[in-house]
Amino acid sequence: MTSQYLQLYKIIFFLLIFIEISTFAASLSSTQLKNSLSENSFSIALSTLSNDTSKSDKIWYWLNFARLQQANGDFNASIQSFEKAYAILDEYENRAKVSIRNAGSFLGSTFLSKGAETYYGKGYERSLMHTLNALNYTMLGDFEGAAVEMRRMEQRQEFWLTESEEKIKDAADAKRQAQRQGSDVSSIPSGYSMGSLLEDPDVRSMANNYQDPFSYTLSSIILDISGLSAAAGDASAISLKRALALNPEVSKVFVKSSALPIKSSTLNVTVIVLSGEAPAIKIERVRFPIFHAAEYTSLDLPSYTLPINDLSSLSISTSTMRLQPPRLLKSNIMAYKTLKDELPSDLAKGVVRATTRAVTAKQITDKFGPLGGLIASLSMDLGSSYVDKDYRNWELLPNSGYITKFEAKKGDTLDIMLNQNKKTVVLPTDKKGTVILVDYLTQDNVRIHYVTY
């Protein structure tokens, strides 16, 4: 009996050591990071991420850092942080090309939880990191650099398509394995909080989970400003056509006014508004029946919190017009669309993990008695909870994006109404055009940057 319990203690010790070496709490948790965006705490959040590089091997660390730097107007620093994120993703994708069947998870430990997998971003995040980096180049007046980023955005989508196809194959394998073990993976389990959201009409009608009209509209405008459109085969018109195919509301972006004076006294104005923070990913646990007996285990599935700090109303006005730009970026809908597309895979793999944990606990119970099985189950649950905390996405990705482009009088006053918060910008008097970037982080933290050309 003594040797048996010594073996049990060794198993528990191994589990605890695995927990210890696999998880180190980030200096700012997902909740803390999202709650630190107000004017008074913003600089502290930026400083904390800058000083704590313990998570610098994670793609979400650099994406969140890049977003904070961008909102702060540190565009060169933001570019460097985005490049760090690119390097992590490039290295992953290059490995995945060698073993593409592992592209979905690559593989990580699935013994404890889905949270043990390394998160490399979803299709919409991989596309949008280039879109937001293009805004960095735009704000620096480097429109050619911005156009290059938009091209990289499209190239990044190509690998995502390949990876998604392989995920479907992996899901089929996992489903067959779960069914061999006697588990039903044909429907969403009751109690899963995302069930109704995944059936939302906006989610169901979305063309795919990686292309957004905001990016293609921005690409069209940048190509026009840079002067590269004609040399690239009228690339601006092509991007605009893609944007319109994704959302007909894009037609409202480009506004003409008949009340303007002669051309020499007007300038082109592009206003881009980024608002709110996208849903944060989390691991949700649902009680789940296994085998043919009345036993239950915990099924772990990815889930999302709701977006926060978003706008409910936006209007832009000059002395001659009042505009309501369309919402073209809908990060929350894209996240839910991705979750819906991947749920068959996540469900099948989650059942395999849950069954494996249950089998392990039962084997320990058979050998060491109920106490041993209880201790093993508690150890695995504890390990899963710790690991799950480090499974994070790009929490500071803007939840909404608006664009409008119009002509205005040089020197005119531009009023931007964000909910009940009014911001005023005086337009330049001696330029051809200007691009204004508005970051609505919270009600008390609105940051405005602009570039002229």
Side-chain angles (χ1 to χ4, degrees), residues 258-327:
S258 58
L260 289 172
I262 59 175
K263 201 76 172 177
S264 61
S265 61
T266 64
L267 78 163
N268 292 310
V269 180
T270 301
V271 180
I272 300 162
V273 179
L274 303 175
S275 67
E277 287 78 52
I281 202 166
K282 62 180 181 177
I283 304 296
E284 182 175 336
R285 301 195 177 279
V286 183
R287 295 284 284 173
F288 190 75
I290 59 171
F291 311 131
H292 301 290
E295 297 183 43
Y296 281 78
T297 186
S298 177
L299 176 66
D300 55 357
L301 290 173
S303 178
Y304 284 102
T305 63
L306 294 175
I308 62 172
N309 295 326
D310 213 343
L311 288 170
S312 58
S313 63
L314 168 66
S315 64
I316 296 171
S317 58
T318 68
S319 61
T320 60
M321 65 178 70
R322 186 176 185 272
L323 311 172
Q324 291 183 307
R327 182 191 174 199

Side-chain angles (χ1 to χ4, degrees), residues 39 47 69 73 124 167 177 207 232 309 337 381:
E39 181 67 35
S47 176
Q69 291 167 324
Y124 68 97
K167 285 185 177 183
Q177 181 179 348
N309 295 326
K337 170 65 173 174
D381 286 345

